[in-house]
Amino acid sequence: MSALSPQDAASATAPGFGNSLDYVTIRVGDQLLGLPIGRVQDVFIANRITVVPRAPDEIVGLLNLRGRIVTAICLRRRLGRSVTLAPDAQGLIELTAIGIDHGGESYALIVDAVGEVVRLDRSTLEPLPVHLDRVWAALATGVHRLADELLVVLDLDAVLDLDLDTAA
């Protein structure tokens, strides 16, 4: 399932939208997070993941997405949260994933839930709060105060920049 039509992706960077920022919203636990819309390629359910021995904890495994080998990364683990996976009645574990390309590689960012696409005024983007957890602060670029909650904007380059040299 594709998250965006080509027209939606083009309008995110089209002239006339210079004062707005567009995000695909996701949830990890109760926290609302925003992913820059221009970086999101797919939203899909992943249920056939091959575990990679000795991979870092954040890497759930590998999956085949329309003929591409994709590295699945658990955003919950990346943000330092605990993970509990419960199989459905058939014994399958279905995970909600966001397809992202980074450095010429394909990734599936495993999230708790996908929300909607939001357009926010650029002027409402604020710096990170000083009391934000240091792990979260290293993976975020700013926040937007919404009517009833805080939207933390993730830096996808930082999220996907796993230090694989120390994983061996």
Side-chain angles (χ1 to χ4, degrees):
M1 173 177 159
S2 179
L4 310 171
S5 70
Q7 295 82 9
D8 290 339
S11 71
T13 58
F17 293 106
N19 290 329
S20 66
L21 298 167
D22 297 345
Y23 303 103
V24 174
T25 61
I26 60 171
R27 288 209 179 264
V28 170
D30 292 334
Q31 182 59 56
L32 183 66
L33 303 164
L35 305 176
I37 197 169
R39 299 287 304 273
V40 174
Q41 295 190 332
D42 296 295
V43 175
F44 59 97
I45 299 297
N47 59 10
R48 294 184 183 244
I49 297 177
T50 302
V51 175
V52 178
R54 299 179 45 97
D57 287 340
E58 295 95 341
I59 295 180
V60 177
L62 301 175
L63 57 95
N64 183 335
L65 179 63
R66 294 185 292 278
R68 293 181 298 161
I69 301 300
V70 177
T71 303
I73 297 175
C74 179
L75 185 57
R76 191 174 257 282
R77 286 183 186 152
R78 190 76 176 103
L79 292 170
R81 297 251 176 130
S82 63
V83 177
T84 55
L85 299 176
D88 64 12
Q90 289 80 31
L92 294 175
I93 296 176
E94 292 188 341
L95 303 171
T96 304
I98 303 284
I100 309 280
D101 278 346
H102 173 71
E105 297 293 326
S106 297
Y107 294 90
L109 200 56
I110 306 299
V111 300
D112 292 350
V114 177
E116 59 190 9
V117 173
V118 296
R119 174 169 286 150
L120 300 171
D121 192 272
R122 187 177 300 274
S123 67
T124 66
L125 181 63
E126 299 178 25
L128 295 171
V130 295
H131 61 277
L132 190 65
D133 177 271
R134 67 178 179 79
V135 173
W136 285 59
L139 302 177
T141 60
V143 297
H144 288 276
R145 292 178 198 268
L146 304 180
D148 55 350
E149 63 187 322
L150 198 64
L151 173 80
V152 177
V153 179
L154 289 180
D155 176 353
L156 285 175
D157 292 327
V159 169
L160 298 173
D161 187 23
L162 299 172
D163 188 8
L164 299 178
D165 292 337
T166 61

